Amino acid sequence: MSVHFPDEIIDKILVRLDPKSLIKFSAVCKSWRSLIKSPTFIHTHLSRTIQPNNQNDSHLLLLVSTKADTGMIYSFRWDNPEFSEYTRLIDRFADNEERSAWYLTVVGTCNGLVCLSLGYNKLRIWNPSVRRFVILPSPISEYIARYAFGYDSRNNDYKVLRTVNLPGQPECYQAEIWSLARGSWKSLGVGSTGRGFLSELIQQPALVNDAVHWVQLNTTKGENGIMWFDMVSESFGETRVPQCVTKMLMLTLRHEGNLALLTWDSASEYHPCSYDIWVMKEYGVEESWTKLFSARHKEFIIRPLCWRNSGEIVFKMFGGGLLSLDVQTEQIKYLTRDGNDCYFLDYYVESLVLLGEANAISY
């Protein structure tokens, strides 16, 4: 006796499965394949995955490191006290020369997608969960550029911002934007800030409220500030840092959905490194900056990488290893000391994005 389940019941069952299982089930029949690859199902699956009450203990961190003899290493780590490895990823989007190149960098990650720069104007958008990637076309201008990756929630679109400082004109910038939905670059024109604020777009920006944010020294207001680019309106803006901040080293982070600012002083033989952590409680309101913690330690670090759900901040140490600092107890825990040079760490959610993308390449 055969049992027939209504389509709505099948939909509710499938949307609860992980991407690896869904790819297998897409081979069951044409109707399931069509459903699983549809934009509506992919968006619904992602929305359910990123719900806070659906995360439980399944938080994943994407760790990218380099090793002298093997090149780039991509892996997922559990966000648990052991920082244990979930799986090692296989990349087929780069040849051997590109994979081992020192200039391969992670631009950012969002909703299961990873944006990678493979060198001079070579960009890839990669979803390791579904083993698919998109090769971006050549940009409009040929200058060496800075990149930022983000999500436009209004149009359900993923975008890459590309900015260059014009030769001989440090106060002027040229910007263009690539859209996954459009599949091409669009020029945003040439602008001027009087101080060339795009020259500092080097660290990974923090994606908050559909906008990417990064620290910029000497902004148009004559002080250190936070520059931002809104992925929906495709416009630039500027926000001041807290007025009482005196430390020169700064980095934007995301903390519980809010824009955060980490400021610190470098450690020396006689003076420990000190940190202040600020959070903008109300987005866009400069008066809402609130100091959450201050902490100190004596380790020599290069820069912060990620703010964990446990409240710990992960730093990259000299030598490439990672340490985790509990900002409340000031206790230090070493996460990796295996000789690999770790340079990127951020939260990752497994998704189906790119599964139904016609221009995506499977491997």
Side-chain angles (χ1 to χ4, degrees), residues 192-212:
S192 175
T193 65
R195 291 182 181 268
F197 68 75
L198 292 173
S199 62
E200 298 298 326
L201 185 47
I202 299 174
Q203 304 293 344
Q204 180 200 358
L207 179 61
V208 180
N209 278 28
D210 285 352
V212 287

Side-chain angles (χ1 to χ4, degrees), residues 39-268:
T40 300
F41 182 87
I42 291 173
H43 184 68
T44 302
H45 181 270
L46 174 63
S47 299
R48 187 181 185 281
T49 301
I50 62 179
Q51 288 177 359
N53 59 0
N54 190 49
Q55 293 293 305
N56 300 321
D57 59 350
S58 60
H59 294 95
L60 290 177
L61 291 161
L62 172 63
L63 173 65
V64 183
S65 57
T66 60
K67 196 172 183 179
D69 56 345
T70 59
M72 307 301 297
I73 301 173
Y74 303 88
S75 64
F76 288 145
R77 299 293 185 110
W78 291 113
D79 186 22
N80 56 21
E82 295 76 27
F83 197 59
S84 51
E85 185 172 281
Y86 167 57
T87 186
R88 187 74 60 93
L89 303 175
I90 300 174
D91 65 315
R92 297 287 173 80
F93 49 79
D95 57 34
N96 290 333
E97 181 180 355
E98 292 170 333
R99 189 176 292 111
S100 60
W102 61 268
Y103 44 73
L104 192 154
T105 58
V106 179
V107 177
T109 179
C110 177
N111 293 345
L113 298 184
V114 183
C115 180
L116 297 144
S117 172
L118 278 65
Y120 183 69
N121 293 332
K122 293 182 179 180
L123 292 166
R124 304 285 188 270
I125 303 296
W126 175 40
N127 186 337
S129 297
V130 298
R131 297 167 65 96
R132 305 198 83 196
F133 65 92
V134 172
I135 301 175
L136 273 64
S138 298
I140 300 171
S141 62
E142 297 183 354
Y143 299 116
I144 297 176
R146 311 296 184 194
Y147 298 98
F149 179 57
Y151 179 59
D152 173 357
S153 63
R154 181 182 299 174
N155 300 296
N156 188 27
D157 194 9
Y158 297 87
K159 299 179 179 180
V160 177
L161 171 68
R162 183 178 187 271
T163 57
V164 298
N165 285 106
L166 300 181
Q169 304 177 66
E171 75 283 356
C172 295
Y173 67 90
Q174 185 175 26
E176 50 191 289
I177 190 85
W178 177 87
S179 158
L180 177 62
R182 186 174 58 246
S184 61
W185 292 95
K186 181 179 73 173
S187 175
L188 299 178
V190 176
S192 175
T193 65
R195 291 182 181 268
F197 68 75
L198 292 173
S199 62
E200 298 298 326
L201 185 47
I202 299 174
Q203 304 293 344
Q204 180 200 358
L207 179 61
V208 180
N209 278 28
D210 285 352
V212 287
H213 305 74
W214 65 94
V215 171
Q216 171 64 41
L217 305 181
N218 298 324
T219 65
T220 57
K221 298 177 182 178
E223 58 191 14
N224 296 340
I226 296 174
M227 308 308 302
W228 52 261
F229 178 82
D230 190 303
M231 290 289 174
V232 178
S233 63
E234 298 183 351
S235 60
F236 291 96
E238 182 180 335
T239 298
R240 288 181 298 182
V241 301
Q243 293 184 354
C244 55
V245 168
T246 58
K247 296 178 174 63
M248 290 300 297
L249 299 175
M250 302 181 188
L251 189 72
T252 53
L253 294 170
R254 184 178 60 253
H255 176 60
E256 297 180 351
N258 295 318
L259 178 62
L261 179 70
L262 179 64
T263 67
W264 74 99
D265 291 325
S266 297
S268 67

